[in-house]
Amino acid sequence: MTHIRKVVFPVAGMGTRFLPATKSIPKEMLPLIDRPLIQYAVDEARAAGIEEFIFVSAAGKGALEDYFDTAAALEMTLEAKGKTDALRALAPSRMPEGALTILRQGKALGLGHAVRQAKHLIGNEAFAVMLPDDVIKGPEGALAQMIQAHKKVGGHMVATMDVPRKATSSYGVLDVERQDGRVFHARGMVEKPRPDIAPSTQAVVGRYILQPSIFARLADLGPGAGGELQLTDAINADLQNVGVSGYQFAGERFDCGSIQGFVQATAAYAMDRADLGHAFVKFLNTRLEPQKMLTKTGQTYPFG
Ligand code: UTP
């Protein structure tokens, strides 16, 4: 039975979909309500018992690296002013000594290449990979759910969600052999299949539990889709040695790598916050009422 202690966060991407915001702010530092995206992923990892956090970063991501540093001057000022609430708000951004390592990818050659950078820090144990873009909202963290299932199933495991068939071409999709509750034992994964030939509707989401054998496959890997080193290709190449399964987590996933997903996540989290929800829903209703009226008369709402 493996204890998953380490997580790799690949955060070296350029975040071009959020330009110009990401010209000087890393995508992972964009605030979802009042916490940067990366904080949601770190909280989920902590809740799953992760002890070591490995960031695969890149030039221009200094704000992300500073975020997990001790802000000594700020903390002293807040303490002197007796601002205990503000001090408390900083707590989740603190890391225990030695728990955080930051690597540089150098060139953004793909997700597989990013994960490969962590080889010497992982050693010979199973580990997690989390893409902070995928924010998963639910009563229990998705990674904790996966780790629980992985204890029984082993092998490589990816998080999945069931998508409408017409959407398969936007995802990596599992070729499912058999289902056991939330676990989908698979023959492999297919990148962005057309709906008519997709082997299933179980779409891969940015959470992985990987065996260390993945590093040998990543070392051998040539460029895949988009000319990048694809993690999916390495998992498929390892199928002779290690089985792969999908775990359909309970929770709602938001693609915060896209503007639409980010806006939806902001609304969902705002609605559920005790201090914001009531006023926010009231505000939304004032916006939605005129739209409903127009829908009835067949007109379109004048967005923008
Ligand atoms: P994306 O495909 O979303 O790319 O990467 P991106 O650069 O972050 O964003 P856009 O498409 O330009 O807007 C998915 C995840 O993989 C990481 C990213 O940081 C993100 O967490 N990644 C991707 C790397 O760490 N290195 C890479 O070479 C590519």
Side-chain angles (χ1 to χ4, degrees):
M1 203 168 73
T2 40
H3 175 45
I4 311 294
R5 300 186 307 123
K6 300 179 182 178
V7 64
V8 177
F9 294 112
V11 289
M14 288 189 293
T16 53
R17 283 170 285 175
F18 284 90
L19 283 170
T22 45
K23 184 179 169 195
S24 58
I25 300 170
K27 174 171 64 175
E28 299 75 19
M29 289 306 293
L30 296 176
L32 182 48
I33 314 285
D34 53 5
R35 289 185 294 158
L37 265 193
I38 191 66
Q39 185 71 63
Y40 291 79
V42 165
D43 288 350
E44 187 185 319
R46 279 184 177 137
I50 297 290
E51 297 156 15
E52 291 185 35
F53 304 81
I54 301 161
F55 286 73
V56 182
S57 185
K61 299 260 177 176
L64 174 65
E65 297 168 12
D66 289 348
Y67 177 74
F68 290 103
D69 223 333
T70 312
L74 174 64
E75 290 184 22
M76 266 164 62
T77 312
L78 294 175
E79 233 169 83
K81 293 189 169 176
K83 294 198 179 272
T84 45
D85 281 356
L87 266 174
R88 214 172 298 126
L90 287 177
S93 66
R94 287 199 197 99
M95 281 281 179
E97 225 168 89
L100 175 76
T101 310
I102 295 167
L103 303 173
R104 291 292 185 112
Q105 191 180 0
K107 279 187 186 160
L109 297 179
L111 182 57
H113 183 255
V115 172
R116 194 165 88 181
Q117 308 305 308
K119 179 178 188 285
H120 64 289
L121 291 172
I122 297 296
N124 196 28
E125 59 185 285
F127 64 104
V129 174
M130 297 176 77
L131 306 189
D133 288 4
D134 279 329
V135 173
I136 301 175
K137 187 171 182 295
E140 197 193 351
L143 187 63
Q145 297 175 46
M146 285 174 75
I147 289 177
Q148 204 53 36
H150 188 262
K151 284 178 183 162
K152 291 193 203 114
V153 179
H156 298 309
M157 181 178 265
V158 298
T160 62
M161 62 179 189
D162 196 31
V163 297
R165 183 158 279 276
K166 64 176 189 297
T168 55
S169 53
S170 304
Y171 298 94
V173 168
L174 283 191
D175 183 357
V176 177
E177 191 171 46
R178 70 191 159 84
Q179 180 182 358
D180 181 9
R182 288 185 172 275
V183 176
F184 293 79
H185 297 273
R187 295 182 202 91
M189 285 178 276
V190 185
E191 238 351 280
K192 301 186 167 61
R194 274 191 354 237
D196 55 322
I197 55 164
S200 80
T201 52
Q202 286 294 309
V204 178
V205 170
R207 304 284 183 273
Y208 306 78
I209 297 174
L210 300 173
Q211 298 297 335
S213 59
I214 199 71
F215 290 112
R217 305 290 89 74
L218 285 169
D220 295 342
L221 205 63
E228 296 193 335
L229 297 190
Q230 299 288 353
L231 184 58
T232 312
D233 291 347
I235 296 173
N236 276 336
D238 210 24
L239 281 170
Q240 297 283 345
N241 302 318
V242 181
V244 62
S245 61
Y247 183 81
Q248 190 182 341
F249 57 86
E252 193 179 3
R253 173 260 193 180
F254 295 95
D255 174 13
C256 289
S258 77
I259 294 179
Q260 184 64 253
F262 205 109
V263 171
Q264 287 174 7
T266 303
Y269 276 94
M271 286 168 99
D272 284 1
R273 280 261 298 239
D275 57 340
L276 299 172
H278 183 70
F280 182 60
V281 170
K282 234 169 116 180
F283 166 79
L284 279 183
N285 276 329
T286 65
R287 292 295 174 113
L288 291 172
E289 277 315 312
Q291 187 195 3
K292 281 186 206 149
M293 297 282 290
L294 290 172
T295 310
K296 269 187 204 155
T297 59
Q299 289 171 274
T300 45
Y301 184 67
F303 283 114

